[in-house]
């Protein structure tokens, strides 16, 4: 029997970065208390939490202590200790479970699972040694992409291998000493993503598809709804429904795609939580990706998603923050979100900007201000 979380109940969020902060704000809007858990004592979600706890993601005693104090548990990103969560999920209410988490936090397991449910990905090979890599490259050809199986994001933990001469690169040799995956290069024309949500009643809702632009492996812009053909739109949406159903998803899942020249799509990555490319939904839709996630994990039915506006989202990195006063002045209609994460490090995500409807026409003049 599904239990609907009563108002003033506490939702615990593992991870307290900007995604945790926005989840907390949605939860509080619905009348819930919020507790957050993170090893960083300066985590930005702590400021909007009813209470928080500092602790390692690997500390079973501390994590269990946190879990016992909340009514429902969720997480804001996948680079946490999934095995530890699996160990304690029988003790706490974790509607998402851990199966999808454990698959998505390992690139090799993720692609293997996707292929097992007939979702197309780039070809891939398991790499545990330089000899494995040499043999795989004979099959993949050049270029190909070497990635660590765990903890890679925003372009970290990966390298494009353009020719055999790269095999002597010290960075490549360092990667090979970790558990890796080699992915065949996809000749894509653009990148896309979709946010899909599923509640505990089995209902599935998707947000408008976004077309994405990455620079140096970091998401720069997303535009939604994407101007894709019906064939591409249907393929992405059908894949999202299939993945959500097969995974028995509860909550929100971000799915990244490559769109190929032949109008086919292949899945690049899964993110079993709200995703950077779905931030446009805060202003662009009747319900945000964060609202849907909270509805799902609290046992409530999802809202039917409707698009309220054309939207264009720009990521703000640490080196961009000096531009904010001029953007406030020149684009007063822009929705500027600053996460208050502390030190504005180079390439660290510090906020985002969303333009809506007629303002989207200014996207090129605005994005030209950023050094990407």
């Amino acid at each position: 029997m599904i239990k609907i979380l009563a108002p003033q109940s506490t939702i615990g969020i593992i991870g307290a970065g900007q995604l945790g902060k926005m989840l907390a704000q949605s939860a509080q809007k619905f009348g819930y208390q919020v507790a957050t858990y993170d090893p960083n004592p300066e985590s930005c979600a702590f400021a909007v939490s009813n209470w928080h706890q500092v602790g390692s993601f690997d500390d079973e005693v501390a994590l269990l202590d946190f879990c016992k104090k909340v009514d429902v548990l969720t997480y804001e990103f996948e680079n946490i200790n999934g095995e530890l969560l699996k160990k304690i999920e029988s003790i706490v209410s974790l509607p998402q479970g851990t199966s999808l988490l454990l698959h998505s936090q390992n690139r090799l397991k993720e692609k293997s699972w996707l292929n097992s449910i007939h979702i197309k990905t780039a070809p891939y090979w398991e790499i545990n040694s330089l000899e494995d890599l040499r043999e795989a490259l004979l099959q993949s050809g050049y270029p190909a992409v070497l990635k660590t199986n765990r903890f890679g994001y925003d372009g970290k933990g990966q390298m494009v291998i353009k020719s055999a001469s790269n095999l002597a690169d010290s960075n490549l040799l360092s990667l090979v000493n970790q558990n890796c995956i080699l992915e065949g290069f996809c000749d894509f024309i653009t990148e896309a993503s979709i946010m899909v949500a599923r509640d505990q009643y089995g209902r599935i809702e998707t947000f408008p598809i976004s077309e994405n632009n990455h620079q140096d492996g970091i998401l720069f812009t997303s535009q939604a709804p994407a101007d894709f053909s019906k064939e591409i739109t249907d393929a992405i949406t059908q894949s999202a429904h299939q993945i959500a159903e097969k995974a028995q998803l509860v909550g929100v899942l971000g799915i990244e795609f490559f769109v190929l020249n032949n109008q086919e799509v292949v899945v690049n990555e899964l993110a079993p939580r709200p995703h950077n490319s779905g931030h446009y939904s805060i202003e662009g839709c009747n319900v945000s990706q964060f609202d849907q996630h909270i509805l799902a994990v609290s046992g409530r039915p999802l809202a039917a998603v409707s698009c309220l506006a054309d939207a264009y989202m720009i990521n703000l990195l640490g080196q961009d923050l000096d531009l904010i006063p001029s953007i406030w002045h020149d684009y007063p209609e822009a929705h500027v979100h600053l996460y208050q994460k502390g030190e504005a490090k180079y390439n660290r995500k510090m906020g985002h900007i969303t333009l809506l409807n007629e303002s989207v026409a200014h996207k090129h003049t605005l994005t030209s201000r950023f050094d990407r």
Side-chain angles (χ1 to χ4, degrees):
M1 182 176 178
I2 299 169
K3 180 181 178 181
I4 298 176
L5 199 64
Q8 295 304 310
S9 299
T10 300
I11 296 178
I13 305 172
I14 300 176
Q18 69 266 23
L19 298 179
K21 182 176 185 177
M22 289 183 271
L23 281 171
Q25 290 167 326
S26 281
Q28 289 169 337
K29 178 178 69 177
F30 289 129
Y32 297 119
Q33 301 281 308
V34 175
T36 49
Y37 180 99
D38 200 281
N40 178 9
E42 304 300 323
S43 295
C44 65
F46 287 170
V48 299
S49 303
N50 295 90
W51 60 271
H52 68 267
Q53 184 171 328
V54 177
S56 168
F57 294 137
D58 298 318
D59 188 333
E60 182 175 355
V61 173
L63 191 58
L64 187 57
D65 175 66
F66 174 80
C67 294
K68 287 178 177 179
K69 299 174 185 174
V70 305
D71 297 296
V72 165
L73 190 67
T74 186
Y75 48 83
E76 68 144 5
F77 75 143
E78 62 273 18
N79 287 329
I80 55 179
N81 192 325
E83 293 292 347
L84 179 52
L85 276 191
K86 183 178 180 179
K87 186 176 179 180
I88 64 176
E89 72 173 306
S90 61
I91 304 170
V92 300
S93 176
L94 180 64
Q96 291 158 278
T98 55
S99 178
L100 182 59
L101 172 66
L102 290 169
H103 281 114
S104 63
Q105 64 183 197
N106 181 295
R107 286 189 170 103
L108 190 64
K109 290 181 179 179
E110 178 180 89
K111 284 187 165 51
S112 177
W113 178 75
L114 286 167
N115 289 174
S116 76
I117 62 168
H118 310 293
I119 297 293
K120 187 175 181 180
T121 66
Y124 65 92
W125 295 264
E126 182 176 2
I127 305 299
N128 294 307
S129 67
L130 188 58
E131 184 57 34
D132 286 346
L133 179 58
R134 292 183 190 278
E135 291 182 9
L137 286 166
L138 292 175
Q139 300 176 59
S140 70
Y142 299 98
V145 186
L146 183 68
K147 300 179 180 180
T148 56
N149 278 333
R150 293 289 311 271
F151 304 116
Y153 63 96
D154 290 346
K156 299 179 177 69
Q158 60 183 270
M159 178 179 178
V160 177
I161 304 175
K162 298 178 179 179
S163 69
S165 63
N166 292 143
L167 295 177
D169 189 299
S170 60
N171 292 325
L172 180 144
L173 295 173
S174 176
L175 285 179
V176 169
N177 288 330
Q178 306 174 56
N179 293 323
C180 289
I181 183 173
L182 183 74
E183 297 179 7
F185 194 78
C186 286
D187 186 20
F188 61 89
I189 55 174
T190 192
E191 295 177 84
S193 60
I194 189 170
M195 305 305 303
V196 58
R198 182 177 178 274
D199 61 26
Q200 296 180 50
Y201 306 91
R203 177 177 177 176
I204 296 173
E205 288 285 333
T206 56
F207 286 87
I209 298 165
S210 67
E211 183 171 12
N212 305 324
N213 172 27
H214 289 78
Q215 298 293 327
D216 296 326
I218 303 173
L219 182 67
F220 182 23
T221 65
S222 292
Q223 183 158 350
D227 186 20
F228 290 143
S229 67
K230 184 178 185 301
E231 183 179 5
I232 291 173
T233 300
D234 288 349
I236 289 174
T237 304
Q238 289 168 11
S239 293
H241 275 257
Q242 184 174 346
I243 292 169
E245 188 62 47
K246 293 292 186 180
Q248 292 294 284
L249 174 69
V250 172
V252 165
L253 170 70
I255 311 173
E256 294 182 318
F257 292 84
F258 293 130
V259 180
L260 309 184
N261 280 305
N262 61 1
Q263 299 290 290
E264 287 188 345
V265 298
V266 300
V267 171
N268 179 30
E269 288 185 352
L270 304 179
R273 36 74 178 176
H275 190 262
N276 199 173
S277 65
H279 289 345
Y280 74 85
S281 64
I282 298 172
E283 289 88 19
C285 297
N286 64 311
V287 59
S288 77
Q289 61 171 338
F290 303 99
D291 295 339
Q292 288 286 59
H293 188 83
I294 295 299
L295 288 173
V297 300
S298 63
R300 295 167 60 182
L302 295 177
V305 177
S306 60
C307 183
L308 302 179
D310 292 333
Y312 187 79
M313 191 279 298
I314 304 169
N315 249 341
L316 293 172
L317 305 180
Q319 61 268 32
D320 302 326
L321 293 196
D322 290 343
L323 299 172
I324 297 304
S326 66
I327 291 171
W328 281 339
H329 181 271
D330 297 339
Y331 301 91
E333 75 282 6
H335 298 267
V336 181
H337 296 251
L338 299 176
Y339 305 145
Q340 297 181 305
K341 290 172 68 174
E343 185 181 356
K345 297 178 182 178
Y346 184 81
N347 277 355
R348 186 185 191 193
K349 292 174 184 172
M350 301 299 290
H352 71 271
I353 300 171
T354 304
L355 301 177
L356 299 177
N357 288 331
E358 291 80 6
S359 299
V360 176
H362 303 306
K363 66 181 182 180
H364 296 302
T365 56
L366 181 52
T367 53
S368 68
R369 297 191 176 199
F370 300 96
D371 182 18
R372 295 285 197 276

